Amino acid sequence: EAQVTQNPRYLITVTGKKLTVTCSQNMNHEYMSWYRQDPGLGLRQIYYSMNVEVTDKGDVPEGYKVSRKEKRNFPLILESPSPNQTSLYFCASSATGNYGYTFGSGTRLTVV
Amino acid sequence: QKEVEQDPGPLSVPEGAIVSLNCTYSNSAFQYFMWYRQYSRKGPELLMYTYSSGNKEDGRFTAQVDKSSKYISLFIRDSQPSDSATYLCAMRASGVGNTPLVFGKGTRLSVIA
């Protein structure tokens, strides 16, 4: 089944404790992206990757890092999480980057 | 003015009704237009997409783009309780590199049996 898999689905952590949210897609898509979704603010892009070793900042990149060492994986790293990073995070991938984005099921992160 | 405006609702309609969902936008560079459906506790799923202006129909769903008015619409005919979800419009400019998807904030729809 074609899908984007994120782990974990739920995570509660403490301020300052480094964490990684993994994202993997099995569709051989070149484009991958991370979004956060917050009430009243909608979906906002954090980081974007057009291909292996090619990443770019989105609208809200502060406090996040990403890497794209393999085509299928695009982990999101929070080096020192803070409470304002409490949010619902989605990874998405696309073959062309124009439309047809496939989203993962989301990771609900709470930073206390 | 926000780049993409979408009425958040909530919108409640009886089963069988025709539903009209709309977004307006300000960036004339947008060329790719999409509608996503998001069920509670799930990721958005692509419902319809169009390039530039025009209409596109898929079963009970019709997407319309009017670039002259910077206005896009999604119509749902014979709405069903299973259509109850949040509907997100999204759009993107053409170009090489990261021209990101810009989402509306979503309209929550409830179809009552």
Side-chain angles (χ1 to χ4, degrees):
Chain A
E1 182 188 351
Q3 59 186 359
V4 176
T5 303
Q6 294 179 230
N7 281 297
R9 290 291 311 276
Y10 301 92
L11 179 60
I12 301 174
T13 190
V14 297
T15 299
K17 186 176 181 181
K18 181 180 178 180
L19 66 93
T20 299
V21 184
T22 63
C23 174
S24 181
Q25 51 95 2
N26 62 1
M27 296 165 282
N28 202 36
H29 284 170
E30 292 191 352
Y31 293 76
M32 297 187 74
S33 189
W34 276 102
Y35 291 85
R36 59 178 290 175
Q37 188 174 36
D38 302 288
L41 296 176
L43 278 159
R44 294 177 293 167
Q45 190 187 54
I46 303 170
Y47 266 97
Y48 177 97
S49 171
M50 290 176 65
N51 213 325
V52 175
E53 304 290 3
V54 180
T55 61
D56 200 359
K57 294 178 182 178
D59 296 320
V60 288
E62 293 77 23
Y64 304 95
K65 283 176 58 177
V66 293
S67 68
R68 187 95 181 270
K69 293 184 169 58
E70 305 165 279
K71 198 171 187 179
R72 61 183 291 125
N73 295 324
F74 191 43
L76 179 69
I77 303 155
L78 285 73
E79 294 267 1
S80 182
S82 63
N84 66 11
Q85 293 178 297
T86 292
S87 187
L88 180 58
Y89 290 87
F90 288 103
C91 181
S93 73
S94 170
T96 65
N98 291 332
Y99 26 58
Y101 279 83
T102 302
F103 281 78
S105 297
T107 295
R108 184 166 293 281
L109 172 66
T110 303
V111 183
V112 297
Chain B
Q1 181 186 7
K2 292 188 170 57
E3 225 175 354
V4 178
E5 300 268 14
Q6 183 176 9
D7 187 333
L11 183 61
S12 185
V13 302
E15 183 176 358
I18 296 174
V19 176
S20 172
L21 304 168
N22 311 294
C23 288
T24 59
Y25 63 94
S26 58
N27 187 348
S28 57
F30 287 143
Q31 294 281 358
Y32 300 91
F33 302 93
M34 286 143 271
W35 286 95
Y36 283 84
R37 177 175 61 195
Q38 186 175 20
Y39 291 114
S40 182
R41 297 196 179 94
K42 299 284 189 183
E45 58 174 326
L46 182 67
L47 204 55
M48 302 277 290
Y49 65 87
T50 54
Y51 174 73
S52 196
S53 282
N55 296 354
K56 187 172 185 178
E57 188 172 320
D58 184 2
R60 296 184 295 110
F61 298 90
T62 299
Q64 289 185 349
V65 175
D66 181 350
K67 290 192 69 181
S68 62
S69 301
K70 296 190 179 69
Y71 187 87
I72 72 170
S73 301
L74 177 71
F75 297 95
I76 307 174
R77 290 182 298 281
D78 187 25
S79 55
Q80 304 294 309
S82 58
D83 295 327
S84 298
T86 297
Y87 289 80
L88 303 156
C89 64
M91 45 202 81
R92 179 179 180 269
S94 61
V96 178
N98 185 24
T99 54
L101 279 180
V102 180
F103 284 87
K105 293 180 182 177
T107 300
R108 186 179 297 178
L109 171 68
S110 294
V111 181
I112 311 301

